[in-house]
Amino acid sequence: MQRRITGFVLDEHGDWIASLDCGHRQHVRHDPPFTSRPWVVSSEGRADRIGSGWPCSLCDRFEVPAGFVAYKRTPEFTEVTVPQGLRRDHSTKRGVWAKIRVLEGTLRYHVPALNRQFDVTPEAPGIVIAEVVHHVEPLGPVRFYVEFFRAPTT
Ligand SMILES: [Zn+2]
């Protein structure tokens, strides 16, 4: 999916990596003649790209960004106490990911924007992608909570 570039860092080999607003990092190589991105090797070129779009394959794969830490969780909910807000389409804020953790039963997790749905069980948590609209639907008795993740504060 399309994300926005928030900055650039160098890796240990001297290749540029773009930081994206989802929390992921993607290599942006200038490797002529195969990949020509002369703009990435100049500070002006990089500055011009801040805020521009970049496709993030890691978001497409529902991968929580490396190094993200849990900082908050909801109370435990059941099929009776699940807030209406979670049953309706909603999303997390920029840079905030979540894991839906089922303790007992099965919770259906819908991601309409990506045309995906998952049955979340104690063995398989649901991964909530930052800013991507989703909702949940209890399939019978269930106990679950949601745990939120973000970049570590330095
Ligand atoms: Zn991403």
Side-chain angles (χ1 to χ4, degrees):
M1 73 187 61
Q2 207 60 15
R3 295 300 198 174
R4 289 189 183 287
I5 295 175
T6 58
F8 292 89
V9 290
L10 275 175
D11 74 5
E12 66 271 30
H13 307 295
D15 286 324
W16 285 101
I17 298 173
S19 302
L20 305 179
D21 62 358
C22 51
H24 289 127
R25 292 178 163 192
Q26 299 277 353
H27 268 105
V28 182
R29 290 193 176 88
H30 177 51
D31 183 23
F34 307 106
T35 311
S36 182
R37 295 186 185 117
W39 55 267
V40 80
V41 296
S42 82
S43 57
E44 296 82 4
R46 289 191 302 278
D48 281 348
R49 298 296 171 121
I50 302 287
S52 66
W54 197 263
C56 189
S57 54
L58 296 167
C59 279
D60 294 338
R61 297 206 296 262
F62 290 74
E63 281 188 29
V64 177
F68 267 37
V69 293
Y71 70 98
K72 193 172 73 175
R73 65 167 62 176
T74 67
E76 196 179 303
F77 301 121
T78 68
E79 74 282 6
V80 176
T81 64
V82 53
Q84 282 304 311
L86 297 188
R87 291 174 172 269
R88 286 192 297 265
D89 277 348
H90 64 284
S91 63
T92 61
K93 294 196 185 82
R94 173 171 296 190
V96 175
W97 288 66
K99 289 185 184 177
I100 305 169
R101 299 211 187 259
V102 167
L103 302 167
E104 207 170 26
T106 305
L107 190 68
R108 186 154 288 168
Y109 164 44
H110 297 267
V111 193
L114 302 177
N115 204 21
R116 298 284 299 273
Q117 65 177 45
F118 304 88
D119 283 351
V120 183
T121 65
E123 293 74 37
I127 305 297
V128 175
I129 305 172
E131 297 183 89
V132 172
V133 166
H134 61 280
H135 65 270
V136 299
E137 171 197 2
L139 301 180
V142 67
R143 289 194 302 127
F144 74 98
Y145 65 90
V146 183
E147 190 173 29
F148 297 92
F149 292 77
R150 65 182 173 197
T153 47
T154 49

